[in-house]
Amino acid sequence: MSQKSVCFIGAGNMTRSIVSGLINSGYAPKLINVTNPSQPKLDAMATDFGVHTFQNNLEGAKRAEIIVLSVKPQLMQQVCEQLSALDLKGKLIMTIAAGITAKRYSDYLKQPIKLIRTMPNTPTQIGMGLTGLFACEGVSYEHKRLAEQLMQTGGEIIWVDKEQELNDVIALAGSSPAYFFLFMEAMVESAVKKGVNENKARQMAQQAALGAAEMVKHNSEISLAQLRLNVTSKGGTTAQAIDTFEKGNLRGLVDNAMTNCIARAEEMSEQF
């Protein structure tokens, strides 16, 4: 696929991870523009990747065929109202933000737009992420492929058919790395209390998590329940641990957490 000029509005961690992936995949640095109010972040982007940088959003955006809005939700309206001074006809707008609906972007930008909402997770920073995408009405096949080209540098992608389904992506993939971090944190804390060296405890927990994830990936024909049962000998140590989780209603806690995550995303759609 041919490379198009792209401008990232915001130079945070997600922008860095996507730009890094693009450069590593052979994307031309001269086609990548990054804007940010902080000059040190821009200097780092220019030094590390050789891309064009601007403190003025309009200067960077007007050069690009694809504009990626990579700022915090509370800053999105301000940024979009700045960009509304440009004629965005023909440009693809992509956004990396939870909660803000497609209609809201149209209102902020004060003109019809071709928009793709994306929801990546933090493992995108190491090429092991997952990004959910939703294409609004009027987005062409070519624009969808361009969006895939950008986001696949961070890992796997999945398209959703309805905008509301992005909230499910947030609960299941966008926020979930923190769930696993919390679980691993609790495991390490328990081990340290029992006298295990913290560094060794972390090494064991992270390798177990990585190995478990790889087993799931490489055994797609086997259900998650069966994979669990394969490790759980009747009357054994694993069975005792699993029984403790079940009696503590781990499944109910997970369900409540994901439900509350989705509810917060829905609240944000009203807030911003």
Side-chain angles (χ1 to χ4, degrees):
M1 180 174 289
S2 62
Q3 297 181 358
K4 303 291 185 180
S5 57
V6 56
C7 178
F8 292 86
I9 309 294
N13 290 334
M14 197 57 71
T15 291
R16 282 191 62 87
S17 67
I18 297 172
V19 170
S20 176
L22 288 173
I23 298 298
N24 290 336
S25 67
Y27 215 92
K30 66 181 181 180
L31 295 177
I32 301 175
N33 308 278
V34 180
T35 73
N36 198 76
S38 169
Q39 189 62 47
K41 284 189 175 183
L42 293 178
D43 291 341
M45 294 291 297
T47 299
D48 295 344
F49 305 117
V51 300
H52 301 291
T53 61
F54 306 87
Q55 283 187 295
N56 186 302
N57 291 335
L58 292 178
E59 285 298 310
K62 70 182 182 182
R63 300 161 56 100
E65 297 171 81
I66 307 170
I67 300 173
V68 182
L69 303 174
S70 182
V71 299
K72 295 178 180 179
Q74 56 266 36
L75 299 177
M76 193 64 75
Q77 180 175 0
Q78 176 185 345
V79 167
C80 286
E81 288 179 349
Q82 291 174 352
L83 295 176
S84 68
L86 297 176
D87 181 1
L88 301 175
K89 183 179 180 181
K91 295 182 185 289
L92 171 63
I93 310 296
M94 295 177 59
T95 173
I96 303 172
I100 305 177
T101 64
K103 183 181 184 307
R104 195 80 68 179
Y105 285 102
S106 295
D107 293 340
Y108 290 162
L109 291 165
K110 304 175 183 177
Q111 56 189 294
I113 55 172
K114 296 178 175 64
L115 177 73
I116 293 179
R117 288 186 59 193
T118 77
M119 184 46 57
N121 60 10
T122 54
T124 297
Q125 297 172 21
I126 58 169
M128 295 288 290
L130 183 137
T131 299
L133 302 98
F134 170 74
C136 298
E137 187 176 352
V139 172
S140 67
Y141 175 85
E142 181 185 8
H143 278 155
K144 289 181 180 179
R145 300 292 79 82
L146 289 171
E148 290 180 354
Q149 183 181 17
L150 294 183
M151 304 312 294
Q152 281 178 332
T153 62
E156 298 183 9
I157 63 168
I158 184 167
W159 287 95
V160 298
D161 297 324
K162 300 178 181 179
E163 184 173 12
Q164 190 174 3
E165 292 176 351
L166 279 180
N167 292 339
D168 298 320
V169 174
I170 294 171
L172 192 55
S175 297
S176 64
Y179 313 164
F180 296 110
F181 297 152
L182 177 61
F183 195 83
M184 293 167 69
E185 181 184 356
M187 290 174 62
V188 170
E189 287 177 353
S190 177
V192 169
K193 286 180 183 178
K194 295 170 178 57
V196 180
N197 174 273
E198 184 173 356
N199 289 334
K200 291 182 178 179
R202 174 168 173 153
Q203 181 182 1
M204 286 187 278
Q206 70 188 31
Q207 187 58 37
L210 179 62
E214 286 295 323
M215 286 190 70
V216 170
K217 184 174 182 179
H218 290 287
N219 293 278
S220 58
E221 75 285 359
I222 303 176
S223 70
L224 294 173
Q226 187 60 53
L227 287 172
R228 171 177 54 79
L229 289 171
N230 290 347
V231 189
T232 312
S233 300
K234 187 175 181 180
T237 56
T238 305
Q240 191 68 33
I242 294 297
D243 185 60
T244 303
F245 287 132
E246 296 286 19
K247 287 180 178 177
N249 194 27
L250 177 63
R251 296 173 191 268
L253 283 174
V254 171
D255 183 53
N256 287 339
M258 293 179 64
T259 299
N260 289 336
C261 182
I262 293 171
R264 177 55 184 150
E266 291 171 349
E267 288 175 359
M268 291 174 67
S269 68
E270 300 296 329
Q271 182 178 357
F272 299 109

